[in-house]
Amino acid sequence: LADAPEDVRKSVAALLAEGAALGVQSKWTEAIAAYRECIKLDPEMSQAWFALGYAYFNQNGRKNCEAQIEPYTRCIALNPSNATAYSNLGNALDEIEDYDGAEKMYRKAIALDPKYSNAHYALGILLKNVRRDYDGAEEMYRKAIVLDPSNALVHSNLGNLLKIVRKDYGAEQMYRKAIELDPKHAPAHYNLGGLLENNRKDHDGAEEMYRKAIALDPKHTSACWNLSRILENRSEEHTSELQSP
């Protein structure tokens, strides 16, 4: 682009800025068109490829999708030091169940930027859900927390992992910390309720957590079901006490 005529350089910059402005307005289809035009003029602009991948993510309701793969791959080819592009490409590959490719991208992102908490967290999810490598997943979650101590979601998911490996005390700590960091995080209330009900046999505490989860997310069917079960059992116990001689 440096050797291109000035009017071309200006139009490329203008299209990149236009795409960014459209993104601020959540006009992602128009933003994608602007980035595509920018890339036509300068196929070697890594920023435009990265922005295009991010625009596809937002156009898809902030969910990863296959359309992101080409833009992030091209971005990385032009700028191999972009750790975020590697991590985002990993997310897109994970979405199409290319788990080997996704893991490779996450590890590359971490190698480039060891302080990139999102890459540690994403790798932890893959290790837990796909590899069933719970020790490795716990290590990644804990690193993500050290790097981003205010992330309630990571705390909550570490709690889920610790619950799986029967580290109930640690799981409870993580759920409570997640709630402290984000009192509106319904999954942490629900998961703490499940631990209190099933592992602690603290039905009063579980009821409180389920009620809070439902207040935050009225469509949380699992919390509704669990709360109804607790209330039904309590009613049966009360009836039994009244009928006993």
Side-chain angles (χ1 to χ4, degrees), residues 90-206:
N91 292 338
L93 293 171
D94 183 90
E95 182 64 26
I96 64 168
E97 300 183 2
D98 179 1
Y99 300 123
D100 291 343
E103 182 175 350
K104 182 179 178 181
M105 293 302 106
Y106 295 143
R107 292 192 183 279
K108 182 64 176 179
I110 292 168
L112 287 168
D113 183 2
K115 294 184 178 180
Y116 189 22
S117 63
N118 285 349
H120 286 93
Y121 175 54
L123 178 56
I125 292 174
L126 188 149
L127 293 175
K128 170 183 172 285
N129 295 338
V130 179
R131 308 298 190 206
R132 298 294 189 266
D133 176 5
Y134 298 136
D135 290 339
E138 181 178 348
E139 179 185 0
M140 290 300 109
Y141 285 150
R142 291 194 182 280
K143 284 184 177 179
I145 287 171
V146 169
L147 295 166
D148 185 8
S150 63
N151 193 320
L153 183 60
V154 183
H155 283 86
S156 183
N157 282 338
L158 177 54
N160 293 340
L161 173 63
L162 294 174
K163 185 178 177 182
I164 289 172
V165 297
R166 301 183 183 281
K167 296 180 180 179
D168 293 345
Y169 178 72
E172 183 175 345
Q173 283 186 312
M174 289 301 109
Y175 292 143
R176 292 193 183 280
K177 184 62 178 180
I179 292 168
E180 175 188 328
L181 291 168
D182 182 4
K184 295 183 178 180
H185 187 56
H189 288 92
Y190 168 72
N191 289 326
L192 178 56
L195 187 145
L196 293 174
E197 179 186 4
N198 299 313
N199 300 61
R200 301 293 192 214
K201 307 305 179 186
D202 177 3
H203 296 131
D204 291 340

Side-chain angles (χ1 to χ4, degrees), residues 68-83:
Q68 298 170 268
I69 293 175
E70 182 197 8
Y72 286 133
T73 300
R74 294 293 294 272
C75 172
I76 289 167
L78 294 164
N79 181 11
S81 63
N82 191 326

Side-chain angles (χ1 to χ4, degrees), residues 13-86:
L15 285 166
L16 192 63
E18 179 185 349
L22 289 166
V24 170
Q25 302 172 61
S26 297
K27 296 180 178 179
W28 294 109
T29 300
E30 294 88 341
I32 287 167
Y35 292 137
R36 282 286 181 196
E37 284 300 313
C38 180
I39 289 166
K40 282 183 182 178
L41 291 172
D42 183 11
E44 296 185 357
M45 179 178 275
S46 66
Q47 303 100 305
W49 284 110
F50 183 91
L52 180 60
Y54 185 67
Y56 278 127
F57 169 77
N58 283 284
Q59 185 191 47
N60 195 43
R62 296 190 62 80
K63 296 178 182 178
N64 295 295
C65 58
E66 190 171 359
Q68 298 170 268
I69 293 175
E70 182 197 8
Y72 286 133
T73 300
R74 294 293 294 272
C75 172
I76 289 167
L78 294 164
N79 181 11
S81 63
N82 191 326
T84 305
Y86 280 101

